[in-house]
């Protein structure tokens, strides 16, 4: 394991260089603002007149079209959704890429699966925060950061790693630590984590538990608290202290019940499906499926979104979050970060 911290990183690798951040979604917003506040020369490349164009301008960012940003930049950091990166790269970025440039990503999807092909005289790097863009920004403003990953797919200039690490430091990641990986490892583990655990697995587990309790006659609100609301408290304990620390902080009853019955839920059949999901990712089956889905304007995804919104747990959860003031609290947190961003950029 190789970890890099502030003391290990020299930002001179980006001296007199321009970084173009392509996209202004969650990651684009957080990373571009952090790098700008850290003293880097940053351009935000967007579709003129698009939804994010005025937002980025209002945040005090230097905004240009994707084509103009690519022309001017030494480092082109692509933070667009996976499904549109290749098309945007081919049409609006590739014609302006120069020898010695760096093409950078925060997810290896399009490079690893070869949807984007970069000239041999150009660096291909990754600097990937291990958390959402809102947390990248929030922790930076709090004087810390979240952990990140760094990977080099192609080192044409001999200093590609230095460039990527300098970007990570400017984003605040090296305060928590930047772990070295590869495009393949990051991409395949990221997709697996999303599908089997973090997004797919955990939501299905929560809903299955909720439904089991409701069908047994318990109040939906009580079922929601037990299967969904309290999950954050447990995950926070695991995040901060690991499994052992979590077990130490819950009751002996919870510890015995959890340890003695967990493998009845995540059993051999579940583990076989996890291996199957990983194999589909490794062999490119999922990638092809997602490419067809996105090309067809995402009919299956839109239908699944519709069905998800109709789940009883969603309706109960929304009601309870409002009743407990959680939605208001979350909104206030978001607004606080936006206000700080606005104030900081106006002082420049």
């Amino acid at each position: 394991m190789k970890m890099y911290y502030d003391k290990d990183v020299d930002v001179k690798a980006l001296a007199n260089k321009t970084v173009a951040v392509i996209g202004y979604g969650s990651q684009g917003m957080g990373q571009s603002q952090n790098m700008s506040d850290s003293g880097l020369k940053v351009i935000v490349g967007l579709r003129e007149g698009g939804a994010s164009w005025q937002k980025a301008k209002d945040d005090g960012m230097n905004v240009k079209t994707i084509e103009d940003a690519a022309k001017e930049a030494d480092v082109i950091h692509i933070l667009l959704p996976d499904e549109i990166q290749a098309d945007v790269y081919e049409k609006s970025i590739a014609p302006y890429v120069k020898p010695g440039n760096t093409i950078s990503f925060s997810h290896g999807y399009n490079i690893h699966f070869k949807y984007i092909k970069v000239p041999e005289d150009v660096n291909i790097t990754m600097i990937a925060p291990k958390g959402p863009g809102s947390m990248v920004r929030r922790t930076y403003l709090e004087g810390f950061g979240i952990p990140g990953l760094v990977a080099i797919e192609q080192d044409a200039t001999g200093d590609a790693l230095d460039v990527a690490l300098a970007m990570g430091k400017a984003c605040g990641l090296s305060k928590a630590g930047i772990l070295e990986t590869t495009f393949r490892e990051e991409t395949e583990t990221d997709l697996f984590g999303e599908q089997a655990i973090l997004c797919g697995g955990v939501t299905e587990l929560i809903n299955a538990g909720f439904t089991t309790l409701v069908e047994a006659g318990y109040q939906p609100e009580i079922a929601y608290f037990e299967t969904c609301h309290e999950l954050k408290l447990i995950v926070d304990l695991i995040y901060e202290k690991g499994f052992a620390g979590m077990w130490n902080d819950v009751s002996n009853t919870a510890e015995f019940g959890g340890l003695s019955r967990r493998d009845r839920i995540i059993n051999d059949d579940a583990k076989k499906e996890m291996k199957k999901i990983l194999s589909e990712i490794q062999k490119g089956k999922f990638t092809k499926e997602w490419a067809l889905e996105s090309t067809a304007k995402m009919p299956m995804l839109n239908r699944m979104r519709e069905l998800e919104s109709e789940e009883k747990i969603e309706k109960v959860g929304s009601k309870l979050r409002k009743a407990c003031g959680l939605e208001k609290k979350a909104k206030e947190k978001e607004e606080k970060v936006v206000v700080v961003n606005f104030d900081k950029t106006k002082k420049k």
Side-chain angles (χ1 to χ4, degrees), residues 14 17-21 73-77 101-104 163 167:
L14 288 174
K17 290 187 177 181
T18 298
V19 178
V21 175
D74 301 288
V75 179
I76 302 169
H77 192 36
N101 278 174
T102 295
I103 306 298
S104 175
V163 170
M167 292 172 66

Side-chain angles (χ1 to χ4, degrees), residues 114-163:
K114 303 187 187 317
Y115 288 110
I116 290 178
K117 295 181 175 61
V118 176
E120 292 182 358
D121 55 5
V122 172
N123 296 330
I124 305 174
T125 67
M126 182 199 308
I127 188 71
K130 294 310 295 174
S134 59
M135 287 301 297
V136 172
R137 185 58 175 163
R138 185 183 304 167
T139 54
Y140 177 93
L141 293 172
E142 291 170 350
F144 194 57
I146 63 173
L149 303 177
V150 65
I152 307 302
E153 183 76 5
Q154 186 166 286
D155 187 359
T157 62
D159 66 346
L161 179 60
D162 294 334
V163 170

Side-chain angles (χ1 to χ4, degrees), residues 30-239:
Q31 292 189 45
S32 63
Q33 290 183 4
N34 287 6
M35 286 191 282
S36 179
D37 284 352
S38 293
L40 301 188
K41 184 179 179 183
V42 177
I43 302 170
V44 175
L46 298 171
R47 179 172 54 86
E48 190 168 11
S52 300
W53 182 273
Q54 191 58 48
K55 167 64 178 157
K57 280 185 170 292
D58 290 344
D59 285 342
M61 304 305 297
N62 180 13
V63 184
K64 298 189 177 185
T65 64
I66 295 173
E67 292 81 359
D68 285 343
K71 288 177 189 175
E72 189 172 332
D74 301 288
V75 179
I76 302 169
H77 192 36
I78 303 175
L79 297 180
L80 298 166
D82 291 330
E83 64 271 19
I84 67 170
Q85 281 188 15
D87 187 58
V88 173
Y89 177 82
E90 191 65 29
K91 293 177 180 177
S92 302
I93 297 173
Y96 311 106
V97 173
K98 301 175 286 294
N101 278 174
T102 295
I103 306 298
S104 175
F105 301 84
S106 282
H107 182 33
Y109 188 96
N110 279 281
I111 291 296
H112 176 56
F113 291 114
K114 303 187 187 317
Y115 288 110
I116 290 178
K117 295 181 175 61
V118 176
E120 292 182 358
D121 55 5
V122 172
N123 296 330
I124 305 174
T125 67
M126 182 199 308
I127 188 71
K130 294 310 295 174
S134 59
M135 287 301 297
V136 172
R137 185 58 175 163
R138 185 183 304 167
T139 54
Y140 177 93
L141 293 172
E142 291 170 350
F144 194 57
I146 63 173
L149 303 177
V150 65
I152 307 302
E153 183 76 5
Q154 186 166 286
D155 187 359
T157 62
D159 66 346
L161 179 60
D162 294 334
V163 170
L165 287 172
M167 292 172 66
K169 183 173 184 176
C171 283
L173 309 184
S174 53
K175 288 187 182 301
I178 302 174
L179 176 64
E180 192 166 0
T181 184
T182 65
F183 270 66
R184 174 182 175 272
E185 184 175 58
E186 184 278 335
T187 302
E188 293 178 359
T189 58
D190 186 79
L191 292 174
F192 175 80
E194 291 167 350
Q195 295 172 25
I197 303 164
L198 306 175
C199 302
V202 74
T203 52
E204 187 65 15
L205 182 65
I206 292 168
N207 200 19
F210 172 84
T211 302
T212 299
L213 289 175
V214 172
E215 289 179 349
Y218 299 103
Q219 291 183 68
E221 294 78 10
I222 297 296
Y224 181 85
F225 275 134
E226 291 302 327
T227 61
C228 187
H229 175 80
E230 290 191 35
L231 180 66
K232 181 185 183 306
L233 308 179
I234 298 300
V235 170
D236 283 349
L237 285 174
I238 295 171
Y239 177 83

